[in-house]
Amino acid sequence: MLLSVGLNHKTAPVHIRERLAFGPDIVVAALRGLREQAGVDESIILSTCNRTEIYCAGDEESCNRVSDWMCSFHGLEHDEVSPYLYAHCADDAIEHLMKVLKELSDRLMILHYGEEIRTGPPAEVMQDEQVKEVYLG
C-alpha cells in the first residue's frame, strides 16, 4: 500500500522544517537508508522549502518506522517532531499526493505502465475519468 509521512508549512514552523529537510547533498544517502528499513519499498523523498514528505510502498506499521527513521536520520527525538508530522495510507496517500502535485506543478503527465494517459494542467488532469480510474480506482 502507498504511505506518506511528512510535514509542511501548515503543520510545522520553519525551524522544524529546516531540521528535517533533505538537501541534494544528503538525499541519495537518505534514500539508501530508507530502503533498508523493514517493510519499506519503493521510496521517494520530496523536500522543498515548504515541505518534507516521504512516499513509499509498505504496510501500515511502516508509517511509524518511516517517521522514526526520518527523526533519527536527522538526529532528532521523535517526541520533538511528532506533533508536526502527518501520515496518510492507501487512498488517503494518493489523494494527498495529488493535492501536493496540484500545488507544485503547472503541468502533469500521467503515465500508466509507461503509457501516457493524460497531460495538462493539474486541475484538468485530476478530473479526467481515466486518471481517476487508474489511480483512485
Side-chain angles (χ1 to χ4, degrees), residues 100-111:
V100 169
L101 290 173
K102 198 172 179 178
E103 289 177 19
L104 294 177
S105 303
D106 293 328
R107 290 185 62 75
L108 297 177
M109 177 186 291
I110 305 298
L111 304 174

Side-chain angles (χ1 to χ4, degrees), residues 1 3 38-41 57-65 89:
M1 121 177 61
L3 310 168
V40 174
D41 300 312
D59 54 31
E60 286 190 39
E61 292 299 313
S62 298
C63 276
N64 292 330
R65 285 192 290 272
C89 297

